[in-house]
Amino acid sequence: MGMKRPTDPLQVLPPELVGEIFHLWLLDSIHPQTKYSYPRLPVLPCLVSKSWRNFVYTSPLLWTHVTIDASQGTVASLDALRKRLERSQGAPLFLDVNVGQQPDRDALGVLFAERSRFRQLTLRVIDLSWWDHISMEGFTELKKFTLHTAPQVPIHVDKLSTIFSSAPSLCSVNWHSTGELGPVGVQGHQLRFLALTVFRIPVTHVLEVLAACPNLLNAAIRFQDAHGYIPTPLRGRILLPELRSLTLNGTRHLTCVLRSVQAPLLSCLGIHWHDTGRETGLEALQSLLAYSPHLEDIALRNFLITEDALISIISTNKHLRRLTVVAALCQTKLITHRTFNVLTREQRGYMLPRLEDLVFQNGLDVPDEDVLRMIKSRMSPPSHVGFRSRASCLKCICLDGCKPMAGTSISSVESICQKSGLKAKGTFVSRNRKKKSTSIVVSIAVRTSYLAVLVGLGAGILWVFKKLLGQR
């Protein structure tokens, strides 16, 4: 009779690997939403066995993520909170702190006493009346700061300047607030990633923050203003020499950002307007693109009014690899055979030779034969000299919010997908009219035996881990 093989991963795997698996499980349980009540994390694995309990309590990495409500009456024991922080043994901390209308100053004092170890801090607050009662300097390890304030409650966020001025490593800020933006620019030259969600402040304040952050790599701005759109005079270009990605989401007041920013390395641009009108900012967009010769990915949602504007963008941005256009629901003929004829490869030249991913949603009125001709023309690079090294084949097409093609046309698309690996999505290839969308996906996965062993081992351990937890 053979010996019984051990089933506990602690008995067969190196502790470093087990620790990494436990840590991945913990992150999966926290992000994007906590799957268990926070007090059970990371204590939950301790219920499996004594060996697991000992391992968890001696693994600092498993105690570095702290999600806590620091409102009055929610922290049961300050001593337990201190011990929890002590178990992290000096490792960097990742905090998500919620503070209600009645803050627990004692609990906040215990937390922020460890501020020199904060690597990431998410702060959800209604007011900052407690801020002056706690020492708030020395965020020496802080790299990412996220702020959420109540949307209907004005808040004086100038107090937060102490975080920015004492955080020499801060490089990422996610600011979701009705308050002023002043603190963001305190050490703006350090920031590489900036996400702003702001309400009821002048849009010129957004420009001031961008001007104070010249080294940004990625910027995402969500802006809402209940007042009517008033064009903002151009004050001069704001040079962002390293900016790669820019996302604008909100009202047309953000048109001033398009007019003001100069980003020579910009490769990804997304615009989503939430208000309607004839003035969409096309001229402002073209002025931005004139300074962005390396643009590869552009997504325009509820932005374009005419097909001529779309064709103009296609014609003047030859390096695009991904093109996304979403029309307003009221637009029925924004995209017609004219656009598809421009995108169709011909013997003597064509637009967007590098296009790999095409998404059109709503506003489509295109005959089946024009769609098929365009797709077929982009299934292989052109044969003539000069384009082969730079051209790409179409890899994914999504036409949604339109009527399905005829059955024979759908069969033709399916045949192309099977032969080329093209992914076709959306209602244009839907055989069932009751469905909103369908997907034809043909892919070839090449996996080495070594990778298969690693993936299988990791998946098996995680499965055992979850099964054991589920039995408790």
Side-chain angles (χ1 to χ4, degrees):
M1 185 175 180
M3 296 180 60
K4 185 177 180 180
R5 300 180 63 181
T7 58
D8 190 338
L10 291 173
Q11 298 179 19
V12 295
L13 295 176
E16 296 82 3
L17 179 57
V18 177
E20 185 64 25
I21 293 172
F22 277 37
H23 186 232
L24 290 175
W25 168 82
L26 179 65
L27 294 179
D28 182 64
S29 301
I30 296 174
H31 303 290
Q33 293 182 341
T34 304
K35 299 178 182 178
Y36 306 97
S37 61
Y38 177 70
R40 300 176 67 192
L41 296 172
V43 179
L44 188 60
C46 298
L47 303 176
V48 173
S49 67
K50 183 178 179 180
S51 63
W52 281 39
R53 182 183 186 279
N54 293 337
F55 185 84
V56 168
Y57 275 89
T58 56
S59 300
L61 195 62
L62 300 181
W63 300 92
T64 58
H65 295 266
V66 180
T67 301
I68 186 171
D69 186 345
S71 304
Q72 195 70 42
T74 59
V75 179
S77 170
L78 293 178
D79 186 56
L81 178 59
R82 291 190 185 94
K83 289 183 178 179
R84 186 184 187 92
L85 294 171
E86 289 173 0
R87 293 189 186 106
S88 61
Q89 298 181 13
L93 295 174
F94 302 80
L95 271 72
D96 190 325
V97 183
N98 180 73
V99 185
Q101 291 182 335
Q102 296 181 324
D104 187 333
R105 293 180 182 176
D106 293 333
L108 289 166
V110 171
L111 287 172
F112 281 88
E114 304 292 335
R115 60 190 175 278
S116 63
R117 293 200 287 136
F118 289 2
R119 180 64 55 84
Q120 293 184 14
L121 172 62
T122 297
L123 195 58
R124 309 173 194 274
V125 296
I126 294 179
D127 69 75
L128 290 169
S129 60
W130 50 275
W131 192 264
D132 294 330
H133 299 275
I134 301 173
S135 179
M136 287 295 178
E137 294 182 353
F139 294 84
T140 53
E141 297 295 325
L142 187 65
K143 290 189 175 182
K144 182 177 181 179
F145 176 59
T146 299
L147 174 70
H148 289 268
T149 65
Q152 303 301 327
V153 181
I155 184 170
H156 300 288
V157 295
D158 56 298
K159 298 176 183 289
L160 298 176
S161 296
T162 54
I163 289 183
F164 291 86
S165 61
S166 63
S169 300
L170 185 64
C171 61
S172 178
V173 171
N174 187 337
W175 187 274
H176 190 294
S177 176
T178 56
E180 295 293 334
L181 296 173
V184 178
V186 170
Q187 296 279 16
H189 65 280
Q190 298 178 179
L191 299 186
R192 307 290 275 172
F193 306 93
L194 177 64
L196 299 177
T197 300
V198 291
F199 310 88
R200 298 191 297 274
I201 65 170
V203 71
T204 52
H205 291 194
V206 174
L207 297 179
E208 292 170 0
V209 168
L210 291 177
C213 304
N215 298 314
L216 288 175
L217 290 176
N218 296 338
I221 302 170
R222 186 179 181 90
F223 180 89
Q224 294 292 337
D225 195 320
H227 299 90
Y229 171 65
I230 301 176
T232 303
L234 181 63
R235 300 183 178 182
R237 290 282 174 179
I238 300 171
L239 178 61
L240 300 176
E242 299 186 60
L243 189 69
R244 264 63 168 188
S245 175
L246 175 63
T247 302
L248 303 177
N249 192 325
T251 57
R252 287 172 293 143
H253 296 78
L254 288 173
T255 299
C256 69
V257 176
L258 296 174
R259 289 196 181 98
S260 302
V261 168
Q262 181 177 344
L265 296 182
L266 187 68
S267 62
C268 181
L269 175 65
I271 303 175
H272 186 180
W273 277 184
H274 291 273
D275 52 351
T276 58
R278 302 302 300 178
E279 170 62 41
T280 63
L282 178 62
E283 182 180 350
L285 171 61
Q286 291 173 333
S287 69
L288 170 68
L289 297 181
Y291 291 97
S292 306
H294 303 289
L295 191 69
E296 294 186 342
D297 184 349
I298 186 168
L300 304 174
R301 293 175 171 84
N302 200 24
F303 182 87
L304 296 172
I305 297 296
T306 67
E307 188 171 24
D308 287 338
L310 172 57
I311 293 175
S312 173
I313 290 173
I314 293 173
S315 303
T316 55
N317 295 276
K318 61 182 180 180
H319 297 301
L320 288 182
R321 294 184 180 274
R322 288 167 291 278
L323 173 62
T324 300
V325 175
V326 179
L329 293 176
C330 60
Q331 295 175 289
T332 57
K333 294 185 178 182
L334 176 65
I335 305 167
T336 70
H337 68 282
R338 294 176 57 212
T339 298
F340 277 75
N341 288 342
V342 169
L343 291 173
T344 299
R345 285 179 173 171
E346 298 178 352
Q347 292 297 324
R348 296 187 178 181
Y350 54 92
M351 301 296 177
L352 305 187
R354 302 181 182 182
L355 186 66
E356 297 179 353
D357 195 336
L358 178 64
V359 178
F360 287 152
Q361 183 176 340
N362 306 328
L364 284 154
D365 185 16
V366 188
D368 291 1
E369 54 268 24
D370 291 315
V371 175
L372 287 172
R373 183 166 57 251
M374 188 279 292
I375 293 176
K376 291 177 181 178
S377 74
R378 288 184 171 270
M379 286 301 95
S380 60
S383 57
H384 54 281
V385 178
F387 280 104
R388 181 179 296 275
S389 61
R390 295 181 287 115
S392 300
C393 298
L394 189 65
K395 297 179 180 179
C396 182
I397 180 171
C398 177
L399 307 181
D400 209 3
C402 58
K403 65 180 181 180
M405 297 195 301
T408 54
S409 298
I410 294 177
S411 297
S412 297
V413 175
E414 291 174 341
S415 177
I416 294 172
C417 290
Q418 292 172 356
K419 293 177 181 179
S420 66
L422 173 72
K423 297 179 182 179
K425 306 176 183 179
T427 53
F428 89 113
V429 287
S430 175
R431 292 187 180 276
N432 185 349
R433 293 176 181 267
K434 294 182 180 180
K435 292 183 178 180
K436 292 293 182 183
S437 64
T438 188
S439 174
I440 305 170
V441 179
V442 179
S443 62
I444 300 175
V446 179
R447 182 182 299 175
T448 64
S449 58
Y450 177 71
L451 180 60
V453 169
L454 288 180
V455 172
L457 178 61
I461 294 173
L462 286 174
W463 180 83
V464 171
F465 189 33
K466 291 182 178 180
K467 290 291 287 184
L468 289 170
L469 290 177
Q471 294 174 359
R472 295 287 167 174

